[in-house]
């Protein structure tokens, strides 16, 4: 029995270390896949996705009654400004996710009083415009996601111009 105790303990330690490594790495891997799928327009640029349907599902279980706009961001060149223009009469929300898939910020049109707002996403130590509302993160990469609730999917054409008023860009590129 003693001959098996050493290999068993070693195997148990390897299994535990492997499990913890997988638990740590999986969120980052999932975020990289999401950034790749949602970043059709590039990094630090807002993309205005088509409505989800059974043939087009860039992420798991997208809602067909939501219009999604996404901005995969990279803070290595500096902070990123996310400008949100709520669509009148429609629930509009901004969610910001970091590289570990954690939600680091959420605001909806009701909380914003129906008015446009700007959020600056930055790493610790990065300079930001004075008076700006800043969300700090420990990661260079992530996704900002704007969702607009539609009463009927057919109305996407009527609200598309309004949703395209939302944008994101590196702060150094902003005037």
């Amino acid at each position: 029995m003693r001959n098996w105790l050493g290999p068993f303990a070693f195997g148990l330690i390897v299994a535990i270390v492997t499990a913890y490594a997988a638990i740590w790495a999986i969120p980052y891997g999932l975020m990289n896949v999401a950034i790749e799928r949602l970043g059709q327009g590039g990094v630090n640029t807002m993309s205005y996705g088509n409505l989800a349907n059974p043939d087009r599902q860039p992420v798991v279980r997208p809602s067909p009654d939501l219009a999604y706009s996404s901005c995969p961001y990279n803070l290595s060149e500096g902070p990123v400004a996310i400008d949100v223009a709520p669509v009148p009469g429609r629930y509009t929300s901004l969610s910001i996710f970091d590289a570990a898939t954690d939600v680091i910020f959420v605001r909806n049109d009701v909380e914003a009083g129906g008015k446009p707002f700007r959020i600056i996403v930055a790493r610790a130590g990065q300079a930001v415009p004075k008076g700006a509302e800043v969300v700090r993160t420990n990661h260079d990469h992530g996704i900002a996601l704007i969702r607009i609730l539609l009463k009927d999917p057919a109305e996407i054409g009527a609200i598309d111009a309004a949703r395209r008023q939302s944008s994101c860009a590196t702060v150094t590129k902003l005037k």
Side-chain angles (χ1 to χ4, degrees):
M1 179 85 159
R2 287 185 140 189
N3 292 340
W4 291 99
L5 189 56
F8 177 75
F10 178 75
L12 185 61
I13 290 169
V14 169
I16 290 170
V17 169
T18 302
Y20 275 102
I23 290 169
W24 176 84
I26 287 172
Y28 295 96
L30 292 174
M31 182 55 75
N32 286 337
V33 169
I35 287 171
E36 185 178 310
R37 288 183 181 179
L38 295 175
Q40 306 100 355
V43 176
N44 298 342
T45 303
M46 191 69 71
S47 295
Y48 310 94
N50 296 323
L51 294 181
N53 62 48
D55 297 325
R56 187 191 175 286
Q57 296 187 25
V59 294
V60 178
R61 294 190 169 171
S63 177
D65 60 350
L66 291 174
Y68 295 94
S69 301
S70 58
C71 173
Y73 63 82
N74 181 345
L75 305 177
S76 63
E77 299 289 320
V80 172
I82 302 166
D83 292 298
V84 179
V87 176
R90 300 291 177 273
Y91 174 81
T92 305
S93 70
L94 167 67
S95 300
I96 303 174
F97 301 87
D98 69 11
T101 69
D102 293 326
V103 178
I104 58 173
F105 180 84
V106 176
R107 179 171 296 153
N108 64 41
D109 61 312
V110 175
E111 295 165 333
K115 295 183 168 96
F117 60 94
R118 170 177 278 181
I119 302 296
I120 306 291
V121 182
R123 299 269 323 230
Q126 287 182 322
V128 296
K130 189 173 182 163
E133 185 173 3
V134 181
V135 173
R136 297 283 180 180
T137 179
N138 296 323
H139 304 280
D140 278 342
H141 302 279
I143 295 176
L145 187 63
I146 298 174
R147 298 174 185 101
I148 302 167
L149 181 62
L150 304 174
K151 294 178 183 174
D152 183 314
E155 71 179 339
I156 186 66
I159 67 143
D160 197 50
R163 84 172 171 143
R164 290 177 183 269
Q165 293 177 21
S166 295
S167 63
C168 71
T170 304
V171 171
T172 57
K173 294 180 182 176
L174 298 175
K175 304 278 190 235

